[in-house]
Amino acid sequence: MFKEKYTVLGVMSGTSLDGIDLARIVFTICNNKWEFEILESETVSYSTQWLNKLKTALSLTHEELAHLDKDYTQLLAAVINDFLKIKKIKNLDAICSHGHTILHQPQKGYTLQIGNLPLIATLTKNTVICDFRVQDVKLGGQGAPLVPIGDQILFSDYEYCMNLGGFSNISFIENEKRVAFDVSPVNTILNYYATLLGFEYDNKGLMAKSGKCQNDLLNELNELPFYKLSYPKSLGFEFVKETVLPLMEQYNIPIEDKLNTFIKHVASQVSRALNIKEGKMLVTGGGAYNDFLIEKIKEQLPEMEIIIPDRKTLEFKEALIFGFLGVLKLRGEINVLSSVTGAIHDHCSGKIYNQK
């Protein structure tokens, strides 16, 4: 007999490197309808040392990556334990953790999220559910995006769910099936250029707004081969490092102009991603705070109702949904949709580690 109420800790670290998101969530199910409440929540920023480690992890050897994985698992456990202690949280059904993506190469049958070692259950003294992506890749899928099943079940009132994080991704119903895919880089690029100007990020997009669009660069960005691929498709930081940044660095223009141009590129790709350009679109992720980006998306989609939710949902939606994936895993229910990832069938993904 399944429970009707679950209390979990959702933990997420995104590619934008803005920190580790933690949220205690209560999920309840009544008459086959799920509801949620986000309680205590916090984003814990990375130290400069850890930011540098994560930014340069792509160049590490296999042995060095294994060492980084262990160190990051210990860091993640310490952050979780501090959060639980300070917030006086006890009696969790599980900690549901995404880990941090270092390599994502599904075309080669490989994806790596560090911080998902069994050690994390021992260190946190809790049941931990994690490593959600690997099984999907083994089943021929992209291993991403995984959030759309949460969109389908928890946010069914919206025609579209768009997340503007390190990368943008979108999910919606097409031909009676949920589809989803990564759209383009967002904060991985915007934050990179903001740091060159001495800021962690471009507050409200004001620096981008002060710049000018470079149309040749915009056209080249929009013509990158990834955007012509049919879905399912997903992006990793490799795309930023090997394709987007080298292209942008060919242009000797002010950084503000690069920010302006890239925001217009993001807005253009959001519009291109939608077959039907009307309805209600829920927008979450750090990019939702970028007023200039939202303004440009609205210009591209004048018939779309753009809805930015309450702060907790906006900032912690991914932690929320990875918490939900963990609950579905506990129940042995499908938590990954093959219509989204391209896997050979729907499945129940994730590893359950019990404390020893």
Side-chain angles (χ1 to χ4, degrees):
M1 187 71 180
F2 289 133
K3 296 170 57 172
E4 294 182 350
K5 181 177 179 180
Y6 297 83
T7 303
V8 301
L9 184 71
V11 184
M12 175 71 194
S13 173
T15 47
S16 58
L17 293 173
D18 53 356
I20 300 167
D21 293 337
L22 306 104
R24 183 167 75 104
I25 311 129
V26 175
F27 293 99
T28 55
I29 184 169
C30 183
N31 296 324
N32 292 320
K33 181 174 177 58
W34 283 100
E35 294 185 353
F36 69 87
E37 182 180 7
I38 301 175
L39 302 175
E40 303 90 344
S41 56
E42 184 180 355
T43 298
V44 178
S45 298
Y46 287 112
S47 66
T48 302
Q49 182 183 18
W50 266 105
L51 275 175
N52 291 333
K53 284 183 178 181
L54 296 174
K55 285 179 179 178
T56 59
L58 272 177
S59 62
L60 297 181
T61 65
H62 182 75
E63 184 178 343
E64 289 169 335
L65 274 176
H67 186 70
L68 180 69
D69 193 359
K70 184 176 180 181
D71 287 350
Y72 187 79
T73 299
Q74 292 173 328
L75 170 73
L76 202 53
V79 168
I80 290 169
N81 286 338
D82 285 347
F83 181 80
L84 296 179
K85 182 178 179 181
I86 292 169
K87 305 295 184 182
K88 299 179 181 178
I89 296 171
K90 297 180 180 179
N91 301 320
L92 292 171
D93 288 295
I95 295 169
C96 311
S97 178
H98 170 269
H100 185 84
T101 298
I102 296 297
L103 290 166
H104 184 64
Q105 300 173 340
Q107 70 279 7
K108 298 180 182 178
Y110 186 71
T111 186
L112 172 64
Q113 287 71 45
I114 60 173
N116 290 331
L117 298 176
L119 175 66
I120 194 168
T122 303
L123 294 174
T124 59
K125 298 181 173 62
N126 270 279
T127 296
V128 176
I129 307 169
C130 58
D131 220 3
F132 292 98
R133 299 190 186 275
V134 172
Q135 178 174 295
D136 190 75
V137 172
K138 288 181 179 178
L139 291 172
Q142 290 283 308
L146 299 187
V147 166
I149 192 162
D151 293 341
Q152 179 168 294
I153 296 173
L154 302 177
F155 297 97
S156 58
D157 291 342
Y158 301 91
E159 280 76 21
Y160 297 97
C161 289
M162 166 69 69
N163 185 69
L164 300 172
F167 298 89
S168 56
N169 52 69
I170 194 160
S171 81
F172 52 93
I173 297 290
E174 185 176 75
N175 298 324
E176 300 183 353
K177 288 187 176 181
R178 175 68 56 169
V179 298
F181 50 93
D182 286 344
V183 177
S184 76
V186 183
N187 291 331
T188 43
I189 294 291
L190 299 180
N191 291 354
Y192 171 80
Y193 282 111
T195 59
L196 296 183
L197 293 172
F199 300 91
E200 290 185 21
Y201 59 91
D202 183 4
N203 186 32
K204 297 184 178 182
L206 292 175
M207 289 188 288
K209 191 171 185 176
S210 71
K212 296 179 180 179
C213 182
Q214 218 294 342
N215 286 322
D216 289 343
L217 173 58
L218 178 61
N219 292 335
E220 280 203 69
L221 287 167
N222 283 335
E223 290 303 310
L224 288 173
F226 174 82
Y227 302 124
K228 296 179 173 65
L229 297 176
S230 58
Y231 48 82
K233 58 181 180 176
S234 58
L235 289 167
F237 191 70
E238 302 95 315
F239 180 69
V240 168
K241 184 178 179 181
E242 297 168 8
T243 302
V244 180
L245 283 176
L247 170 59
M248 295 185 71
E249 288 304 290
Q250 290 176 17
Y251 286 79
N252 186 22
I253 58 177
I255 289 175
E256 290 85 353
D257 292 359
K258 291 182 179 180
L259 288 167
N260 183 290
T261 303
F262 198 78
I263 275 185
K264 291 178 180 176
H265 165 64
V266 172
S268 175
Q269 292 308 317
V270 169
S271 177
R272 286 189 188 185
L274 310 183
N275 291 331
I276 300 173
K277 303 183 192 302
E278 60 183 19
K280 292 192 298 183
M281 182 161 72
L282 179 71
V283 177
T284 56
Y289 288 119
N290 189 313
D291 293 346
F292 185 60
L293 174 57
I294 298 301
E295 175 189 323
K296 293 303 159 186
I297 291 174
K298 287 181 176 179
E299 285 180 8
Q300 292 280 338
L301 298 167
E303 303 300 317
M304 185 71 66
E305 184 181 356
I306 306 292
I307 297 171
I308 297 175
D310 63 275
R311 184 192 67 82
K312 283 186 177 180
T313 304
L314 189 160
E315 294 182 3
F316 297 97
K317 179 170 175 269
E318 288 192 292
L320 161 75
I321 293 185
F322 275 96
F324 188 54
L325 294 182
V327 169
L328 294 176
K329 176 67 177 179
L330 284 174
R331 293 167 63 91
E333 297 177 1
I334 288 168
N335 63 4
V336 180
L337 300 171
S338 59
S339 63
V340 169
T341 67
I344 57 176
H345 55 71
D346 295 346
H347 56 102
C348 182
S349 190
K351 296 176 182 175
I352 301 176
Y353 298 134
N354 295 308
Q355 59 174 309
K356 295 180 180 179

